[in-house]
Amino acid sequence: MRISEIIHERVERYRDRNFLKAAMAASALTAYADGSVSVSERFKVEEILERLERLHIYDAQKAVAKFEEYVSELEDNTDQAEKVLLGKLQRVASDRDAADLIAHIALEISYADKYFNRAERMQFDVICDALGLQAKDYTEELH
């Protein structure tokens, strides 16, 4: 790898670090919305990481470890962890493209088990609010 490629990759990685944390925060909040994380939700997170071009600069295993860390924090102290994780979302809210992509990630995880339950809907509203988005703009796509 040439030096210019290394520099470009590191700049991209640094720039998207907040995006990765926000994406994993939204993923954890969504998956844990009903008080537990299902196998299908964990699989969906891994699938999204493999598919998203914007996250290819990161080691998928490290990203999954970040997701698991956030889930563990939610299990240990849900209220405190939610505040911290929502703060990670707010850090990327000014980047409309990032916020939009994170909302779509959260929605896809919500549907990992083919059912968008009440707890997931409520959490999705909170996530969108933290991102400065209107949840109905995304959920209307589903009907």
Side-chain angles (χ1 to χ4, degrees):
M1 186 179 282
R2 296 185 340 205
I3 292 175
S4 62
E5 292 169 338
I6 292 169
I7 291 170
H8 177 73
E9 180 180 312
R10 288 188 181 162
V11 167
E12 289 298 310
R13 186 174 294 170
Y14 177 75
R15 188 186 77 185
D16 276 354
R17 185 165 295 161
N18 283 336
F19 175 80
L20 174 67
K21 289 178 180 179
M24 293 302 95
S27 298
L29 286 164
T30 301
Y32 192 73
D34 57 5
S36 66
V37 180
S38 70
V39 172
S40 60
E41 289 165 332
R42 288 179 195 281
F43 178 74
K44 185 57 73 176
V45 170
E46 291 176 16
E47 180 185 300
I48 289 168
L49 284 167
E50 290 173 10
R51 206 177 61 233
L52 279 181
E53 183 68 33
R54 189 162 180 176
L55 294 174
H56 279 185
I57 57 176
Y58 291 99
D59 179 341
Q61 290 179 331
K62 288 181 182 178
V64 169
K66 183 60 68 181
F67 167 78
E68 295 293 345
E69 174 188 327
Y70 292 162
V71 168
S72 179
E73 291 171 7
L74 286 164
E75 291 170 339
D76 292 344
N77 187 342
T78 303
D79 293 338
Q80 178 61 29
E82 280 183 352
K83 289 177 189 171
V84 171
L85 296 178
L86 290 171
K88 294 179 186 314
L89 298 179
Q90 291 167 341
R91 285 189 201 114
V92 300
S94 63
D95 181 340
R96 302 315 317 156
D97 289 337
D100 179 66
L101 183 52
I102 289 168
H104 279 99
I105 289 169
L107 196 57
E108 189 168 343
I109 292 168
S110 293
Y111 273 97
D113 59 1
K114 310 291 186 247
Y115 181 69
F116 194 32
N117 68 40
R118 186 173 188 271
E120 290 166 337
R121 285 179 191 270
M122 290 172 57
Q123 188 65 280
F124 186 71
D125 288 348
V126 171
I127 288 168
C128 284
D129 188 53
L131 292 169
L133 303 171
Q134 297 293 318
K136 66 179 174 66
D137 293 342
Y138 297 86
T139 55
E140 286 176 354
E141 296 174 8
L142 305 173
H143 303 291

